[in-house]
Amino acid sequence: MRDKAGLTQEEYALRVRYSTHFVGSIEQGRRFPPKELIDRGEEVLAADGVLRAASRFLTRRAGLASWFRQWAAIEEEAISLYAYECRLVPGMLQPEAYIRAVFEGSLPPLTEEQVEQQVAARLERQRLLAERPNSAFSFIVEQSLLERRTGGREVTRILVEHLLETGRRRNVEIQLMPTRSEDHAGLDGPMYLAETPDHQWLGYSEGQQYSSLTGESKDVSALLQRYGRMRAQALGRAATVDLLERMRGEL
């Protein structure tokens, strides 16, 4: 449709107010088109609803669990993304070795092809940290998750190195929650929060085989209050780096 309209990729990108690189990634099937781009494309290309209709049939990588796909789409556009985890290191912070250790221990067992799909999908999500420098990413991770040494000593060493490296990004804040902590606002379990481009906050949580996504102001307010309290209870950025460096030394 862009070609039919006589527009180069650069000209089209300018009119829909996205970068040429972003548009190219979508046209090559590497990224999902956000709703704003679909709406703007409809207008620029006089598409008569064709783009909106087609977008309903888009599906994400096979490696993403069905219950997670809606949240993955929200992640793509979030201008703020908060995560608290007490089960395993958040997916966006996992190095490949840790990802493999997680999925190779899955039950029911996965095939080699399924493991590769999961690894590829998880690594693909992590590009957001680099591609969205103006988005704020905050992660609170339980210290005990590193002490568990999922995958063994070498995998844990790689994980600690990866956390130290990722934490150097200006748009990323990683805080460890001390194992010994008398006050803890996250006792109800993991939580994820996202701020959309129009400044609406959404909350997400998941269990063994299900997930819950909410935009109810009362529910999201409670999650934001808890997350804010946990940021104060967790180690600060500098203290987290110190602890990670000590843990690296012990490995």
Side-chain angles (χ1 to χ4, degrees):
M1 292 186 74
R2 175 175 62 75
D3 287 338
K4 186 177 180 180
L7 297 173
T8 66
Q9 201 171 80
E10 291 77 10
E11 292 169 336
Y12 177 70
L14 184 64
R15 295 192 185 191
V16 294
R17 304 194 297 283
Y18 278 86
S19 71
T20 303
H21 174 74
F22 190 92
V23 169
S25 293
I26 291 172
E27 291 189 354
Q28 293 169 36
R30 297 200 307 268
R31 297 196 66 161
F32 250 51
K35 182 179 182 301
E36 288 79 3
L37 178 56
I38 294 172
D39 292 341
R40 294 170 192 172
E42 280 281 342
E43 182 179 349
V44 170
L45 301 175
D48 295 326
V50 172
L51 294 182
R52 291 193 184 95
S55 70
R56 293 198 293 271
F57 294 92
L58 291 174
T59 57
R60 290 189 163 269
R61 291 180 180 269
L64 291 180
S66 59
W67 66 80
F68 183 76
R69 291 172 185 165
Q70 189 175 9
W71 182 255
I74 292 169
E75 282 184 337
E76 292 273 350
E77 302 181 56
I79 60 174
S80 299
L81 190 67
Y82 299 166
Y84 163 65
E85 270 291 357
C86 56
R87 306 163 305 171
L88 74 169
V89 173
M92 282 199 179
L93 299 179
Q94 296 177 5
E96 183 173 343
Y98 185 91
I99 298 172
R100 291 187 179 280
V102 169
F103 288 116
E104 286 173 359
S106 294
L107 290 174
L110 302 177
T111 65
E112 288 299 321
E113 180 181 0
Q114 289 172 324
V115 169
E116 293 304 319
Q117 287 178 339
Q118 297 281 6
V119 171
R122 188 149 295 183
L123 291 174
E124 170 69 8
R125 282 176 58 214
Q126 295 177 8
R127 61 178 169 69
L128 295 178
L129 300 178
E131 293 183 4
R132 300 189 66 88
N134 297 121
S135 293
F137 296 89
S138 170
F139 302 92
I140 300 175
V141 183
E142 291 288 341
Q143 176 185 344
S144 58
L145 297 181
L146 304 179
E147 295 173 340
R148 181 179 298 158
R149 297 192 177 183
T150 298
R153 179 185 295 268
E154 179 59 19
V155 171
T156 303
R157 184 192 63 78
I158 293 172
L159 171 61
V160 171
E161 290 279 5
H162 186 71
L163 292 176
L164 285 167
E165 180 181 355
T166 305
R168 295 189 187 103
R169 294 183 178 275
R170 292 178 184 168
N171 62 331
V172 176
E173 181 180 49
I174 300 173
Q175 295 179 262
L176 291 182
M177 179 67 77
T179 300
R180 295 181 180 178
S181 179
E182 294 183 2
D183 297 317
H184 197 317
L187 297 180
D188 286 338
M191 71 178 79
Y192 288 76
L193 289 150
E195 182 185 10
T196 67
D198 59 357
H199 306 295
Q200 177 188 5
W201 282 92
L202 301 171
Y204 173 80
S205 61
E206 61 183 36
Q208 291 282 340
Q209 294 293 110
Y210 65 89
S211 66
S212 174
L213 176 66
T214 180
E216 291 291 330
S217 58
K218 181 180 179 180
D219 296 336
V220 176
S221 174
L223 294 177
L224 283 169
Q225 288 180 53
R226 294 170 193 168
Y227 195 86
R229 180 69 60 84
M230 279 193 292
R231 291 182 89 165
Q233 294 168 338
L235 297 177
R237 194 166 191 164
T240 292
V241 170
D242 288 343
L243 178 54
L244 287 172
E245 289 178 340
R246 291 201 304 272
M247 298 180 78
R248 177 176 60 183
E250 295 171 358
L251 294 167

